[in-house]
PDB file of all heavy atoms in Angstrom:
ATOM      1  N   GLY A 123       2.878  17.881  -3.999  1.00 96.00           N
ATOM      2  CA  GLY A 123       1.889  16.802  -3.940  1.00 96.00           C
ATOM      3  C   GLY A 123       1.255  16.529  -5.282  1.00 96.00           C
ATOM      4  O   GLY A 123       1.066  15.383  -5.678  1.00 96.00           O
ATOM      5  N   ARG A 124       0.948  17.593  -6.002  1.00 96.00           N
ATOM      6  CA  ARG A 124       0.359  17.449  -7.342  1.00 96.00           C
ATOM      7  C   ARG A 124       1.318  16.698  -8.261  1.00 96.00           C
ATOM      8  O   ARG A 124       0.921  15.807  -9.008  1.00 96.00           O
ATOM      9  CB  ARG A 124       0.032  18.834  -7.904  1.00 96.00           C
ATOM     10  CG  ARG A 124      -0.781  18.826  -9.157  1.00 96.00           C
ATOM     11  CD  ARG A 124      -1.176  20.237  -9.587  1.00 96.00           C
ATOM     12  NE  ARG A 124      -2.125  20.831  -8.640  1.00 96.00           N
ATOM     13  CZ  ARG A 124      -1.847  21.862  -7.829  1.00 96.00           C
ATOM     14  NH1 ARG A 124      -0.661  22.421  -7.829  1.00 96.00           N
ATOM     15  NH2 ARG A 124      -2.768  22.327  -7.007  1.00 96.00           N
ATOM     16  N   SER A 125       2.582  17.048  -8.190  1.00 97.00           N
ATOM     17  CA  SER A 125       3.597  16.380  -9.005  1.00 97.00           C
ATOM     18  C   SER A 125       3.679  14.893  -8.672  1.00 97.00           C
ATOM     19  O   SER A 125       3.736  14.045  -9.571  1.00 97.00           O
ATOM     20  CB  SER A 125       4.951  17.054  -8.785  1.00 97.00           C
ATOM     21  OG  SER A 125       5.957  16.382  -9.478  1.00 97.00           O
ATOM     22  N   LYS A 126       3.689  14.572  -7.390  1.00 97.00           N
ATOM     23  CA  LYS A 126       3.745  13.166  -6.984  1.00 97.00           C
ATOM     24  C   LYS A 126       2.513  12.397  -7.460  1.00 97.00           C
ATOM     25  O   LYS A 126       2.618  11.271  -7.933  1.00 97.00           O
ATOM     26  CB  LYS A 126       3.886  13.058  -5.463  1.00 97.00           C
ATOM     27  CG  LYS A 126       5.254  13.430  -4.948  1.00 97.00           C
ATOM     28  CD  LYS A 126       5.319  13.293  -3.438  1.00 97.00           C
ATOM     29  CE  LYS A 126       6.674  13.660  -2.900  1.00 97.00           C
ATOM     30  NZ  LYS A 126       7.717  12.706  -3.198  1.00 97.00           N
ATOM     31  N   LEU A 127       1.333  13.013  -7.335  1.00 97.00           N
ATOM     32  CA  LEU A 127       0.099  12.347  -7.744  1.00 97.00           C
ATOM     33  C   LEU A 127       0.030  12.131  -9.259  1.00 97.00           C
ATOM     34  O   LEU A 127      -0.583  11.176  -9.721  1.00 97.00           O
ATOM     35  CB  LEU A 127      -1.122  13.148  -7.283  1.00 97.00           C
ATOM     36  CG  LEU A 127      -1.441  13.033  -5.794  1.00 97.00           C
ATOM     37  CD1 LEU A 127      -2.457  14.092  -5.393  1.00 97.00           C
ATOM     38  CD2 LEU A 127      -1.949  11.646  -5.446  1.00 97.00           C
ATOM     39  N   CYS A 128       0.663  13.004 -10.011  1.00 96.00           N
ATOM     40  CA  CYS A 128       0.675  12.847 -11.474  1.00 96.00           C
ATOM     41  C   CYS A 128       1.603  11.715 -11.919  1.00 96.00           C
ATOM     42  O   CYS A 128       1.428  11.172 -13.003  1.00 96.00           O
ATOM     43  CB  CYS A 128       1.113  14.148 -12.136  1.00 96.00           C
ATOM     44  SG  CYS A 128      -0.148  15.428 -12.110  1.00 96.00           S
ATOM     45  N   ASN A 129       2.573  11.370 -11.079  1.00 96.00           N
ATOM     46  CA  ASN A 129       3.582  10.391 -11.469  1.00 96.00           C
ATOM     47  C   ASN A 129       3.477   9.045 -10.768  1.00 96.00           C
ATOM     48  O   ASN A 129       4.126   8.085 -11.179  1.00 96.00           O
ATOM     49  CB  ASN A 129       4.980  10.965 -11.225  1.00 96.00           C
ATOM     50  CG  ASN A 129       5.259  12.161 -12.103  1.00 96.00           C
ATOM     51  OD1 ASN A 129       5.063  12.109 -13.303  1.00 96.00           O
ATOM     52  ND2 ASN A 129       5.678  13.246 -11.495  1.00 96.00           N
ATOM     53  N   THR A 130       2.674   8.958  -9.726  1.00 97.00           N
ATOM     54  CA  THR A 130       2.608   7.742  -8.921  1.00 97.00           C
ATOM     55  C   THR A 130       1.170   7.477  -8.493  1.00 97.00           C
ATOM     56  O   THR A 130       0.429   8.410  -8.197  1.00 97.00           O
ATOM     57  CB  THR A 130       3.493   7.884  -7.657  1.00 97.00           C
ATOM     58  OG1 THR A 130       4.814   8.232  -8.051  1.00 97.00           O
ATOM     59  CG2 THR A 130       3.534   6.597  -6.859  1.00 97.00           C
ATOM     60  N   TYR A 131       0.794   6.203  -8.435  1.00 97.00           N
ATOM     61  CA  TYR A 131      -0.512   5.804  -7.919  1.00 97.00           C
ATOM     62  C   TYR A 131      -0.389   5.622  -6.405  1.00 97.00           C
ATOM     63  O   TYR A 131       0.522   4.948  -5.933  1.00 97.00           O
ATOM     64  CB  TYR A 131      -0.985   4.498  -8.574  1.00 97.00           C
ATOM     65  CG  TYR A 131      -2.245   3.973  -7.941  1.00 97.00           C
ATOM     66  CD1 TYR A 131      -3.482   4.466  -8.320  1.00 97.00           C
ATOM     67  CD2 TYR A 131      -2.190   3.004  -6.941  1.00 97.00           C
ATOM     68  CE1 TYR A 131      -4.647   4.010  -7.723  1.00 97.00           C
ATOM     69  CE2 TYR A 131      -3.349   2.543  -6.341  1.00 97.00           C
ATOM     70  CZ  TYR A 131      -4.568   3.054  -6.734  1.00 97.00           C
ATOM     71  OH  TYR A 131      -5.708   2.603  -6.137  1.00 97.00           O
ATOM     72  N   TYR A 132      -1.302   6.222  -5.660  1.00 98.00           N
ATOM     73  CA  TYR A 132      -1.350   6.067  -4.210  1.00 98.00           C
ATOM     74  C   TYR A 132      -2.688   5.452  -3.827  1.00 98.00           C
ATOM     75  O   TYR A 132      -3.719   5.755  -4.416  1.00 98.00           O
ATOM     76  CB  TYR A 132      -1.183   7.421  -3.508  1.00 98.00           C
ATOM     77  CG  TYR A 132       0.180   8.019  -3.722  1.00 98.00           C
ATOM     78  CD1 TYR A 132       0.417   8.903  -4.761  1.00 98.00           C
ATOM     79  CD2 TYR A 132       1.248   7.668  -2.901  1.00 98.00           C
ATOM     80  CE1 TYR A 132       1.670   9.436  -4.972  1.00 98.00           C
ATOM     81  CE2 TYR A 132       2.509   8.202  -3.106  1.00 98.00           C
ATOM     82  CZ  TYR A 132       2.711   9.076  -4.145  1.00 98.00           C
ATOM     83  OH  TYR A 132       3.960   9.593  -4.353  1.00 98.00           O
ATOM     84  N   ASP A 133      -2.661   4.614  -2.805  1.00 98.00           N
ATOM     85  CA  ASP A 133      -3.879   4.002  -2.298  1.00 98.00           C
ATOM     86  C   ASP A 133      -4.622   4.924  -1.332  1.00 98.00           C
ATOM     87  O   ASP A 133      -5.833   4.807  -1.165  1.00 98.00           O
ATOM     88  CB  ASP A 133      -3.549   2.689  -1.578  1.00 98.00           C
ATOM     89  CG  ASP A 133      -2.905   1.692  -2.509  1.00 98.00           C
ATOM     90  OD1 ASP A 133      -3.589   1.244  -3.443  1.00 98.00           O
ATOM     91  OD2 ASP A 133      -1.715   1.380  -2.314  1.00 98.00           O
ATOM     92  N   LEU A 134      -3.864   5.815  -0.690  1.00 97.00           N
ATOM     93  CA  LEU A 134      -4.459   6.690   0.318  1.00 97.00           C
ATOM     94  C   LEU A 134      -3.766   8.044   0.281  1.00 97.00           C
ATOM     95  O   LEU A 134      -2.539   8.127   0.189  1.00 97.00           O
ATOM     96  CB  LEU A 134      -4.302   6.069   1.710  1.00 97.00           C
ATOM     97  CG  LEU A 134      -4.797   6.870   2.908  1.00 97.00           C
ATOM     98  CD1 LEU A 134      -6.312   7.058   2.850  1.00 97.00           C
ATOM     99  CD2 LEU A 134      -4.393   6.196   4.214  1.00 97.00           C
ATOM    100  N   LEU A 135      -4.569   9.108   0.361  1.00 97.00           N
ATOM    101  CA  LEU A 135      -4.062  10.475   0.459  1.00 97.00           C
ATOM    102  C   LEU A 135      -4.521  11.050   1.789  1.00 97.00           C
ATOM    103  O   LEU A 135      -5.717  11.055   2.091  1.00 97.00           O
ATOM    104  CB  LEU A 135      -4.600  11.333  -0.694  1.00 97.00           C
ATOM    105  CG  LEU A 135      -4.327  12.833  -0.613  1.00 97.00           C
ATOM    106  CD1 LEU A 135      -2.836  13.129  -0.663  1.00 97.00           C
ATOM    107  CD2 LEU A 135      -5.065  13.562  -1.729  1.00 97.00           C
ATOM    108  N   ILE A 136      -3.571  11.513   2.588  1.00 97.00           N
ATOM    109  CA  ILE A 136      -3.885  12.208   3.834  1.00 97.00           C
ATOM    110  C   ILE A 136      -3.547  13.672   3.568  1.00 97.00           C
ATOM    111  O   ILE A 136      -2.395  14.017   3.335  1.00 97.00           O
ATOM    112  CB  ILE A 136      -3.065  11.648   5.014  1.00 97.00           C
ATOM    113  CG1 ILE A 136      -3.395  10.173   5.224  1.00 97.00           C
ATOM    114  CG2 ILE A 136      -3.349  12.469   6.282  1.00 97.00           C
ATOM    115  CD1 ILE A 136      -2.530   9.476   6.256  1.00 97.00           C
ATOM    116  N   LEU A 137      -4.580  14.527   3.588  1.00 97.00           N
ATOM    117  CA  LEU A 137      -4.451  15.902   3.112  1.00 97.00           C
ATOM    118  C   LEU A 137      -4.788  16.919   4.190  1.00 97.00           C
ATOM    119  O   LEU A 137      -5.880  16.888   4.764  1.00 97.00           O
ATOM    120  CB  LEU A 137      -5.382  16.094   1.904  1.00 97.00           C
ATOM    121  CG  LEU A 137      -5.506  17.470   1.296  1.00 97.00           C
ATOM    122  CD1 LEU A 137      -4.168  17.955   0.740  1.00 97.00           C
ATOM    123  CD2 LEU A 137      -6.557  17.457   0.189  1.00 97.00           C
ATOM    124  N   ASP A 138      -3.857  17.822   4.441  1.00 96.00           N
ATOM    125  CA  ASP A 138      -4.090  18.960   5.318  1.00 96.00           C
ATOM    126  C   ASP A 138      -4.964  19.957   4.549  1.00 96.00           C
ATOM    127  O   ASP A 138      -4.689  20.253   3.386  1.00 96.00           O
ATOM    128  CB  ASP A 138      -2.751  19.599   5.670  1.00 96.00           C
ATOM    129  CG  ASP A 138      -2.854  20.763   6.629  1.00 96.00           C
ATOM    130  OD1 ASP A 138      -3.971  21.104   7.052  1.00 96.00           O
ATOM    131  OD2 ASP A 138      -1.794  21.337   6.960  1.00 96.00           O
ATOM    132  N   LEU A 139      -6.017  20.449   5.152  1.00 94.00           N
ATOM    133  CA  LEU A 139      -6.899  21.387   4.461  1.00 94.00           C
ATOM    134  C   LEU A 139      -6.338  22.806   4.436  1.00 94.00           C
ATOM    135  O   LEU A 139      -6.686  23.609   3.585  1.00 94.00           O
ATOM    136  CB  LEU A 139      -8.289  21.378   5.098  1.00 94.00           C
ATOM    137  CG  LEU A 139      -9.040  20.061   4.971  1.00 94.00           C
ATOM    138  CD1 LEU A 139     -10.383  20.149   5.676  1.00 94.00           C
ATOM    139  CD2 LEU A 139      -9.214  19.673   3.511  1.00 94.00           C
TER     140      LEU A 139
END
Side-chain angles (χ1 to χ4, degrees):
R124 190 175 292 112
S125 176
K126 287 180 180 289
L127 284 167
C128 286
N129 295 310
T130 305
Y131 173 83
Y132 294 93
D133 299 294
L134 177 65
L135 171 63
I136 299 173
L137 175 62
D138 182 0
L139 295 178

